[in-house]
Amino acid sequence: MTRIPEHDRDIMEKAIYLPMVLIILNRDLTVVQNSPFKLKKPYLELIEETMKDVQRELGEAKQYMKKNKLKVIETKRDDAFTMYLFIYKGYEENHNYFNPRIRNKVQELMETYFLKKHLSR
């Protein structure tokens, strides 16, 4: 059982997922820039604006974590699982994440950000 409140755990998980979202978006940006698309600009703008939103949200999460003495450290990774050490106000907990679950969550976040962009226009 975890001692970390759900709200704080969600923010700590953002510190895991959002950098991965940025890595993927950065790669996608490069792919679009080097692609033979006739009209690249809409894709580039969508990716760049999404990256700005993700960076802002990641900054907020990191600021909250620093203020509340929270840390997330990747301790171990293999083909199936990635283990993180969550430090919550002096308490340490190990959390094991199934790699396909991480991938699915990152994909879900990307879809959410893209839909937010699409619906806000």
Side-chain angles (χ1 to χ4, degrees):
M1 191 67 188
T2 181
R3 292 177 177 237
I4 303 172
E6 187 176 351
H7 175 263
D8 288 348
R9 190 178 65 247
D10 289 346
I11 289 176
M12 294 171 92
E13 286 183 343
K14 279 184 181 182
I16 295 171
Y17 298 132
L18 293 181
M20 294 178 190
V21 171
L22 285 172
I23 290 168
I24 292 167
L25 289 173
N26 211 14
R27 287 182 189 163
D28 291 351
L29 190 64
T30 303
V31 169
V32 171
Q33 287 169 335
N34 297 325
S35 71
F37 287 151
K38 212 169 192 123
L39 300 170
K40 295 179 189 180
K41 189 177 179 207
Y43 300 104
L44 295 174
E45 284 181 4
L46 177 64
I47 294 170
E48 288 169 351
E49 288 300 314
T50 302
M51 287 176 74
K52 286 178 189 175
D53 285 349
V54 173
Q55 288 167 337
R56 180 188 47 73
E57 198 166 325
L58 179 59
E60 290 170 2
K62 285 183 175 183
Q63 190 175 25
Y64 179 88
M65 287 174 60
K66 186 174 183 176
K67 180 180 166 190
N68 292 284
K69 297 181 178 96
L70 312 175
K71 272 190 183 177
V72 176
I73 302 166
E74 182 181 320
T75 57
K76 189 175 158 191
R77 178 187 299 256
D78 61 31
D79 291 340
F81 291 93
T82 304
M83 183 178 281
Y84 293 93
L85 175 65
F86 283 27
I87 301 172
Y88 175 76
K89 299 181 181 180
Y91 295 103
E92 294 184 2
E93 292 181 2
N94 285 304
H95 291 257
N96 223 7
Y97 288 84
F98 189 47
N99 289 339
R101 178 181 177 254
I102 293 173
R103 188 194 72 232
N104 291 341
K105 182 64 179 178
V106 168
Q107 180 175 325
E108 181 185 307
L109 283 168
M110 288 179 67
E111 290 169 357
T112 301
Y113 281 108
F114 283 150
L115 283 174
K116 241 193 272 182
K117 283 281 157 223
H118 174 71
L119 294 174
S120 69
R121 291 181 180 201

